[in-house]
Amino acid sequence: MPEAGPRHPKDRRGPRQATASRPRAARRGTSRGEGGITATQERRRQERVEKAAEYCVAVLNDGWTNVVSERAAEYVTEQTWNSLFSRRRRRRCKRLARTAAAILTGKKMLHDLVGAIAAWLAALLGGDRIVQAFARKLAANIPLPPDAKMVATARGLQVTGVLLCLVNGDDLTRCQCFIDLALEEAKTQVKKILVAAMEDWTALAQFPAKPAVVEQGTYGSAGR
């Protein structure tokens, strides 16, 4: 039986410590890999993620898991929250990352987000109805105008993905939601997003995607 995740919002088990791997030895060469990324570019991306993880790990080990779980509990039901942590945590992190990337890059500009998100998420996420339900309830219950709601929802999904990976005991550098944040933002901004998640999640609307990121679609999980 897999270890249960944080409860909603009480009766949680102690969170595991966040970990960040040390920089790995660089590989030489310029051969292009998947997506046309050279070995040098991939090495730089990895180093960026590792530096962000090292910078943020102290915040994530300072009661972050429990506090963020309480904030999320304000927007989704206990059943939805507990189901999200039941199994397949690593796979769900990737799907949360993909959904957040799609929202932030404007692939689906849902100005009527609450009314249209159910059908859209079903098409985007395939058969994972638990992730669909979580994203739908989060979007429906964040009390913001549509555009700000989209940003706060996307950031909330990314934060939840980081939380899933922490509960699963995964290294931050292998968490797709954290990877996307680290590749998009400076490490100081990533930390601000993670700290903001400890407050009312409407504050996450303060962190929209950068115009260059939206235009180029440079999220690690976008389009996957």
Side-chain angles (χ1 to χ4, degrees), residues 120-162:
W120 178 62
L121 287 175
L124 183 65
L125 298 176
D128 196 329
R129 288 178 290 182
I130 293 174
V131 173
Q132 292 177 29
F134 176 77
R136 185 169 61 249
K137 289 182 182 297
L138 185 60
N141 292 321
I142 292 181
L144 289 170
D147 287 344
K149 182 190 291 285
M150 290 174 67
V151 174
T153 297
R155 295 306 188 193
L157 296 177
Q158 290 176 322
V159 166
T160 302
V162 173

Side-chain angles (χ1 to χ4, degrees), residues 23-216:
R24 301 167 184 169
R27 293 183 179 179
R28 298 184 180 276
T30 57
S31 59
R32 293 186 178 273
E34 183 179 356
I37 298 176
T38 66
T40 299
Q41 290 173 322
E42 181 60 33
R43 182 176 69 249
R44 289 174 179 170
R45 285 164 60 98
Q46 182 65 28
E47 290 174 350
R48 182 182 178 96
V49 172
E50 288 167 348
K51 288 179 180 179
E54 291 175 355
Y55 186 77
C56 295
V57 69
V59 171
L60 299 176
N61 282 334
D62 190 23
W64 186 87
T65 301
N66 287 345
V67 175
V68 170
S69 297
E70 291 176 353
R71 298 291 81 78
E74 298 172 5
Y75 301 103
V76 299
T77 64
E78 179 177 358
Q79 179 180 1
T80 299
W81 182 252
N82 290 341
S83 295
L84 190 67
F85 284 84
S86 61
R87 56 178 179 166
R88 299 179 180 177
R89 295 168 187 165
R90 187 174 292 111
R91 181 182 301 178
R92 286 188 178 135
C93 170
K94 291 181 179 179
R95 289 181 174 176
L96 288 167
R98 184 175 64 181
T99 307
I103 294 173
L104 289 170
T105 55
K107 289 182 177 180
K108 298 289 184 179
M109 295 300 291
L110 299 176
H111 291 284
D112 185 19
L113 187 63
V114 175
I117 198 169
W120 178 62
L121 287 175
L124 183 65
L125 298 176
D128 196 329
R129 288 178 290 182
I130 293 174
V131 173
Q132 292 177 29
F134 176 77
R136 185 169 61 249
K137 289 182 182 297
L138 185 60
N141 292 321
I142 292 181
L144 289 170
D147 287 344
K149 182 190 291 285
M150 290 174 67
V151 174
T153 297
R155 295 306 188 193
L157 296 177
Q158 290 176 322
V159 166
T160 302
V162 173
L163 182 61
L164 277 171
C165 289
L166 291 182
V167 171
N168 204 46
D170 294 337
D171 191 292
L172 279 175
T173 61
R174 298 183 179 182
C175 172
Q176 187 62 58
C177 285
F178 186 85
I179 290 170
D180 285 359
L181 284 169
L183 293 179
E184 175 201 349
E185 302 285 355
K187 62 184 181 182
T188 53
Q189 190 77 343
V190 175
K191 185 175 181 179
K192 288 180 180 179
I193 292 172
L194 296 174
V195 171
M198 299 174 72
E199 306 297 334
D200 189 320
W201 277 18
T202 58
L204 294 174
Q206 303 174 37
F207 303 98
K210 297 176 181 178
V213 174
V214 172
E215 293 171 3
Q216 298 172 15

